[in-house]
Amino acid sequence: MWIKKLQESGILTQKKDGSWRPIARPSLLYLSDVEILNTYNSEIRGLYNYYKLAKNVSVLNKFMYFMKYSLYMTFASKYKSSVPKILDKYMKDKVFTVWYDTKKGRKSVSLYCNGFKIDKSVSSTTDKLPNTMKYKVQTELTQRLNANRCEICGTSDGKMEVHHVRKLKSLKGKAYWERMMLARKRKTLVLCTSCHHKLHAGKLD
């Protein structure tokens, strides 16, 4: 069942010999590092919560292998890099970790790695499927501003500004910045002054 779920999520593909291999997820490439990692963590915990009462829950260790390498490959695809280089950058104490800035300083999110063990306790959330959309569409604007980083060119120099559209339907999706907003389902975009001026002049792509 979980193999079919991974196929539907774009995490697995089948080789000619019938075996399975993990792949990158293009649908997540427009998201921030924290959003991508939170999406994977939510899916991992969701499946574990569903199956943790089973005596053979340890079979999910193979599921975890596919999830981990799909995550690594997604990051490698996003940054046009290789998996070894991504692991060198994000591994902390042998755990994949993403750091981000907040008003209270730098914080981190790590890949779920507690293993899959039998849990006989009954939880009211055991059969609930994870809601991964909250990691894709509800990133706080204040947190993005506090990061002081242009979401187009990546610069952190100077004060950032916010570009806002009334409706996503008004975007045609021809320019890169429009495709980014549509993919993230956000009406706002944090930009440096230079990129913001180029956007309004029709020269930002």
Side-chain angles (χ1 to χ4, degrees):
M1 180 178 177
W2 57 264
I3 289 181
K4 183 178 180 181
K5 180 179 177 61
L6 294 187
Q7 275 186 287
E8 293 172 349
S9 299
I11 295 171
L12 276 187
T13 187
Q14 194 167 26
K15 299 180 181 179
K16 291 182 179 180
D17 61 5
S19 61
W20 301 95
R21 69 178 179 87
I23 55 176
R25 300 168 75 177
S27 61
L28 303 183
L29 298 183
Y30 287 110
L31 302 181
S32 68
D33 289 359
V34 174
E35 290 172 320
I36 294 174
L37 182 52
N38 277 335
T39 296
Y40 276 87
N41 276 341
S42 180
E43 292 169 340
I44 292 169
R45 291 194 185 99
L47 194 70
Y48 173 51
N49 284 337
Y50 190 83
Y51 284 105
K52 65 183 179 181
L53 300 181
K55 293 182 179 180
N56 62 340
V57 68
S58 60
V59 300
L60 292 181
N61 288 325
K62 192 171 184 180
F63 155 80
M64 186 64 191
Y65 168 83
F66 289 133
M67 291 294 285
K68 283 196 301 185
Y69 275 87
S70 174
L71 171 68
Y72 304 156
M73 295 170 76
T74 298
F75 269 76
S77 180
K78 177 180 178 179
Y79 291 106
K80 296 179 174 58
S81 182
S82 64
V83 170
K85 290 181 179 179
I86 290 296
L87 295 180
D88 285 341
K89 180 178 179 180
Y90 289 95
M91 278 294 185
K92 177 179 171 56
D93 298 327
K94 297 183 179 181
V95 179
F96 193 90
T97 304
V98 169
W99 291 87
Y100 62 98
D101 296 315
T102 70
K103 287 184 178 180
K104 297 181 179 180
R106 284 175 62 76
K107 292 187 177 182
S108 64
V109 176
S110 298
L111 177 65
Y112 176 86
C113 58
N114 293 329
F116 298 103
K117 302 175 182 178
I118 298 174
D119 186 350
K120 296 182 180 180
S121 63
V122 178
S123 170
S124 60
T125 61
T126 297
D127 292 329
K128 290 185 178 179
L129 294 176
N131 177 17
T132 60
M133 286 304 296
K134 64 182 179 181
Y135 300 118
K136 299 179 182 178
V137 301
Q138 294 182 358
T139 297
E140 290 294 335
L141 179 59
T142 53
Q143 180 180 325
R144 291 157 58 202
L145 279 171
N146 287 336
N148 200 57
R149 185 180 182 86
C150 177
E151 294 179 342
I152 291 294
C153 70
T155 184
S156 57
D157 296 332
K159 187 177 181 180
M160 297 298 126
E161 302 174 357
V162 177
H163 179 72
H164 183 275
V165 297
R166 290 185 178 181
K167 296 181 179 180
L168 287 175
K169 292 182 180 180
S170 64
L171 301 177
K172 297 179 181 180
K174 293 183 178 180
Y176 172 76
W177 65 269
E178 290 182 314
R179 295 195 297 272
M180 179 181 287
M181 294 181 77
L182 289 170
R184 293 185 173 187
K185 297 182 180 178
R186 289 178 180 159
K187 296 180 182 179
T188 58
L189 194 63
V190 176
L191 302 170
C192 62
T193 301
S194 175
C195 285
H196 204 180
H197 287 170
K198 289 180 182 178
L199 187 152
H200 284 288
K203 298 179 180 180
L204 182 65
D205 195 356

